[in-house]
Amino acid sequence: MPFYVPVERYLEQPRFRELVGDALTERALRERGIFRPEAVARLRSSVASGEFLYSKQLLSIVILELWFRAMVDRRGVR
């Protein structure tokens, strides 16, 4: 059964925006080497349009980075 995750509501929360900012710094993106920082920057700008797909894509990238930190890098996640 599908369910709806209110991603846009999460992105309105200051602490969540801080988490996104921390996970998707240019340095972190370059070090990971999976996504181009300029493409992620464009995606982050596009989220402001309110399009659900952009928010979902951004959240997926954040979750992937946090997974890498916890499971591959063995770093604690904030």
Side-chain angles (χ1 to χ4, degrees), residues 33-70:
I34 297 173
F35 300 103
R36 292 188 325 266
E38 50 285 348
V40 174
R42 281 193 307 273
L43 177 61
R44 289 179 74 176
S45 295
S46 297
V47 167
S49 73
E51 173 61 41
F52 177 73
L53 182 59
Y54 297 137
S55 299
K56 186 175 175 182
Q57 289 172 343
L58 185 68
L59 181 63
S60 296
I61 294 170
V62 170
I63 290 170
L64 179 63
E65 174 58 24
L66 296 177
W67 181 87
F68 264 103
R69 289 181 184 186

Side-chain angles (χ1 to χ4, degrees), residues 12-50:
E12 292 173 357
Q13 302 301 313
R15 295 219 9 135
F16 194 80
R17 283 196 312 263
E18 182 181 330
L19 175 68
V20 171
D22 175 64
L24 301 182
T25 65
E26 183 175 347
R27 179 179 177 194
L29 291 165
R30 288 195 189 285
E31 286 177 2
R32 187 69 58 209
I34 297 173
F35 300 103
R36 292 188 325 266
E38 50 285 348
V40 174
R42 281 193 307 273
L43 177 61
R44 289 179 74 176
S45 295
S46 297
V47 167
S49 73

